[in-house]
Amino acid sequence: MASIDDLRYTVSRLRGPGGCPWDIEQTHQTLCDCLVEECAELLDTIDRLDYEHMQEELGDVLLQVIMHTQMAEEEGRFSFDDVARDINEKLVRRHPHVFGDLDLKDSEAVLQKWEEIKAEEKKNGLRPLEEGPFKHLPPQLPALRYALNVFKQIEKKDLPVEGEYSTAAVDELADGLTEAHAGRALFELAAACRKAGIDPESALRRHASETQRAIAERVSEAEQSPAG
């Protein structure tokens, strides 16, 4: 762990007396754009399987983690060790088939157990409780990823979607769909939006949000009704 300790020391010097004026001025908020950009650059190297530059970009992302933990430690909130300990404990807790005696046969069983453990964590106060049928999704998520997560929760929890979108149309589109076909269709739709003067990001985010809200309201009404 000498290398990680060296990096933490370097960042503490950059932030400390006599350090770098730019680094000293940074806050959690001012570094948000840097984190987004570094993650995007890392994803680019992953898409290209460019291992040489992937190593460099992983280092840039790690620097963002160290910077945030350094600032938090200066404020007396938490440290890098606290962050590492929390994620290590979570990994051990959520993998009882590896660190315990539970026998899980395949990935599907692992994911099901993972969700059960997450639900138990909420009951025990280890995770924030969710309001309604949907878990919180960061608004900073790209619209396509946001919509994908909304649909994933709808499917996982078998939520009522009547009137919000056509499940038959989704199934028909999914039948035989390939990555190449999906990419072309999405590109053509984005291009059509451009010609029509529509921002596809805003359009998709708005529809996904409205779908999420309508389904949540329907579930809430069903729970409050005498029959529910």
Side-chain angles (χ1 to χ4, degrees):
M1 295 298 290
S3 296
I4 192 70
D5 291 336
D6 288 345
L7 177 57
R8 292 172 63 189
Y9 174 75
T10 298
V11 171
S12 70
R13 283 282 290 110
L14 290 172
R15 293 271 304 171
C20 172
W22 185 89
D23 289 281
I24 293 170
E25 291 173 358
Q26 300 314 302
T27 66
H28 292 295
Q29 290 79 10
T30 62
L31 287 178
C32 284
D33 286 344
C34 292
L35 178 58
V36 171
E37 290 173 8
E38 298 298 357
C39 287
E41 290 175 3
L42 172 59
L43 290 172
D44 178 48
T45 65
I46 293 173
D47 284 343
R48 293 183 286 105
L49 292 180
D50 182 351
Y51 293 104
E52 179 183 355
H53 292 100
M54 190 188 302
Q55 176 179 327
E56 177 184 353
E57 298 303 339
L58 281 167
D60 289 341
V61 172
L62 178 58
L63 172 59
Q64 296 302 309
V65 174
I66 300 295
M67 282 287 287
H68 283 284
T69 56
Q70 174 64 30
M71 289 186 288
E73 189 164 5
E74 292 166 3
E75 298 164 356
R77 300 183 185 279
F78 57 81
S79 67
F80 177 84
D81 288 337
D82 295 328
V83 172
R85 182 181 62 252
D86 283 353
I87 186 60
N88 185 63
E89 291 176 352
K90 181 189 291 186
L91 286 172
V92 172
R93 185 171 63 247
R94 292 190 182 178
H95 290 83
H97 53 293
V98 176
F99 301 100
D101 54 7
L102 189 64
D103 184 19
L104 299 178
K105 299 297 185 183
D106 52 33
S107 296
E108 184 177 349
V110 169
L111 291 176
Q112 181 178 349
K113 188 61 182 178
W114 181 281
E115 293 299 329
E116 291 174 2
I117 294 172
K118 282 173 62 177
E120 191 64 28
E121 289 172 351
K122 291 173 191 173
K123 292 180 184 178
N124 296 333
L126 295 177
R127 287 174 56 84
L129 292 172
E130 296 166 3
E131 295 184 4
F134 291 96
K135 72 176 183 180
H136 173 71
L137 293 173
Q140 295 88 349
L141 275 178
L144 195 57
R145 179 60 56 183
Y146 189 94
L148 192 61
N149 274 279
V150 169
F151 178 73
K152 180 180 176 182
Q153 292 178 55
I154 290 172
E155 209 174 29
K156 182 188 298 183
K157 299 178 182 179
D158 194 23
L159 298 175
V161 300
E162 295 82 1
E164 304 310 322
Y165 66 86
S166 170
T167 55
V170 171
D171 291 341
E172 183 178 352
L173 286 170
D175 185 26
L177 186 65
T178 66
E179 182 176 327
H181 290 150
R184 177 167 181 162
L186 288 169
F187 181 85
E188 290 175 346
L189 183 56
C193 285
R194 165 77 175 175
K195 283 185 171 292
I198 297 170
D199 176 13
E201 275 278 320
S202 298
L204 179 57
R205 187 182 302 279
R206 186 176 298 111
H207 181 76
S209 297
E210 290 173 355
T211 297
Q212 187 179 29
R213 181 167 54 253
I215 292 174
E217 289 175 355
R218 187 176 296 129
V219 171
S220 178
E221 289 171 0
E223 291 175 346
Q224 294 173 14
S225 68

